[in-house]
Amino acid sequence: MNELALAEDFQFDAQGFLMLRNVFDAERCRRYLEELERLFERKYDDPWLCDGVRGQTTVQLTEGQRRINGLPLWTDVFDEVISFAPVVERLRRWMQHPQLVNTWAIEKTEGTPWGGWHRGLNPDDYTVRRGQIRTRMLNCVYFLTDNDEDDGCLTVVPGAHKSEIDLPMAEFRGRDLPGAVRVTGKAGDMVMFSETLLHTGATKSSSRQRTNLYFNYIDATYNPAMRELLAGNQGNVNHYVFPPAVRARFDETQRELTEWMEWQRTAPASSGSQRPSSGGLGPQTKTRCSISI
Ligand SMILES: O=C(O)CCC(=O)C(=O)O
């Protein structure tokens, strides 16, 4: 391993995250922001969420904040982000077999409240054996605008991807955990973090708009559908799985990084009685193929 990669491995393992500066130029940020604006303004009927399947809607509006899920379902503009070379190289170093799961964007304006401390996985889903880092979920956050301290920026506790000390989390609602730091940066910067890291979005007090893209990868040994089913949010999988028509436009790396979706294909809803064989995923996978992109 070269010296730079070794230094990065050390830092990622020590902190649970790594910043990469200046990965997108101003023109790319502008183009992505413009596309997000178009997507936020569009209407989505979310047909699969109407039959009682619990999960995220495509656009989620909360106080001061807009979030949109499943980006490649609605546009091809962000396809290139899936296989963004500097990130893919690190994904392959820190994950056994990375696969894209959810993609989303969050736009915050003044008044967006504190997000609440969370982690996507428990610390035992992060390991280092014989110098080899393995995290079973890794989130890649691309800053399309500046993320300053008062911009509701990502906030983490460096090193807490390994922490097994249980704090009374209810007491830390709306305030920093011990050792918390703001992850700040300029438009075009990005951060990769293990989802075992404790993190949140801070309160947004500035009047600037803050917009980030989130591309979250899981290890192929991890079953996202069962994860959501067990959490009672089985509808979320509808934003994870891209139908064949979407993957058909992908390049080889993008197809590799979404390979698991190949096995989520079902008959079109219009064929009536055909149901997927994947148990609890029935209702949403049935409707999944009825969306027109
Ligand atoms: O950037 C932020 O606001 C934090 C977002 C976050 O924690 C999440 O989407 O899981």
Side-chain angles (χ1 to χ4, degrees):
M1 187 185 295
N2 69 43
E3 219 172 284
L4 181 64
L6 189 62
E8 273 187 4
D9 278 16
F10 176 82
Q11 193 176 351
F12 184 80
D13 176 54
Q15 299 194 324
F17 68 99
L18 186 80
M19 293 289 312
L20 301 179
R21 303 284 177 191
N22 271 314
V23 299
F24 289 171
D25 63 18
E27 167 51 25
R28 198 201 277 233
C29 292
R30 188 205 58 73
R31 192 159 50 86
Y32 287 175
L33 286 167
E34 192 178 283
E35 181 65 357
L36 284 175
E37 191 51 39
R38 189 183 73 79
L39 295 179
F40 276 127
E41 291 307 316
R42 237 198 75 170
K43 293 277 172 283
Y44 303 85
D45 59 4
D46 292 331
W48 55 85
L49 292 172
C50 300
D51 60 4
V53 177
R54 278 196 54 203
Q56 297 164 327
T57 49
T58 300
V59 172
Q60 296 176 297
L61 303 175
T62 48
E63 201 182 339
Q65 176 176 298
R66 296 196 288 188
R67 170 175 169 141
I68 180 167
N69 297 300
L71 297 170
L73 292 172
W74 319 115
T75 178
D76 61 7
V77 166
F78 304 109
D79 291 359
E80 59 197 3
V81 180
I82 298 172
S83 53
F84 185 59
V87 165
V88 172
E89 184 251 311
R90 291 167 174 91
L91 286 174
R92 292 194 165 135
R93 218 160 73 219
W94 298 334
M95 301 181 86
Q96 192 179 328
H97 190 135
Q99 292 286 292
L100 185 67
V101 58
N102 202 9
T103 54
W104 67 99
I106 296 178
E107 178 201 274
K108 290 184 181 178
T109 54
E110 188 170 0
T112 305
W114 187 269
W117 290 103
H118 60 285
R119 51 169 43 134
L121 294 176
N122 291 321
D124 41 344
D125 282 313
Y126 177 90
T127 58
V128 184
R129 297 208 174 98
R130 291 181 292 280
Q132 178 70 66
I133 292 174
R134 287 285 176 250
T135 180
R136 293 184 81 202
M137 190 186 279
L138 203 155
N139 205 340
C140 302
V141 186
Y142 298 87
F143 299 177
L144 302 183
T145 59
D146 291 353
N147 278 233
D148 289 336
E149 291 250 342
D150 52 356
D151 281 333
C153 63
L154 185 70
T155 300
V156 303
V157 182
H161 57 309
K162 301 178 188 176
S163 174
E164 302 259 14
I165 306 286
D166 283 333
L167 286 172
M169 281 299 181
E171 289 175 23
F172 290 94
R173 210 165 280 143
R175 66 188 184 95
D176 281 333
L177 284 172
V181 300
R182 305 280 182 268
V183 181
T184 58
K186 295 286 175 206
D189 292 347
M190 64 103 43
V191 56
M192 299 178 76
F193 71 91
S194 165
E195 271 282 356
T196 69
L197 185 68
L198 282 165
H199 65 279
T200 184
T203 305
K204 176 131 175 55
S205 54
S206 74
S207 57
R208 293 177 293 267
Q209 176 190 323
R210 191 226 72 172
T211 307
N212 293 343
L213 290 177
Y214 302 76
F215 278 60
N216 203 4
Y217 299 79
I218 50 162
D219 193 82
T221 55
Y222 192 51
N223 183 328
M226 286 312 294
R227 168 198 165 86
E228 299 303 335
L229 186 66
L230 293 173
N233 295 320
Q234 52 269 55
N236 289 0
V237 181
N238 291 305
H239 294 120
Y240 302 171
V241 181
F242 309 146
V246 168
R247 293 187 66 247
R249 68 174 189 240
F250 285 177
D251 67 20
E252 198 184 333
T253 308
Q254 291 157 6
R255 271 201 296 276
E256 266 172 41
L257 290 168
T258 56
E259 201 183 340
W260 74 279
M261 298 176 189
E262 185 77 15
W263 309 102
Q264 302 294 320
R265 287 191 195 173
T266 62
S270 57
S271 67
S273 61
Q274 292 194 43
R275 303 283 292 193
S277 57
S278 49
L281 290 177
Q284 86 270 12
T285 47
K286 174 173 66 88
T287 46
R288 127 91 37 251
C289 292
S290 67
I291 342 165
S292 51
I293 305 297

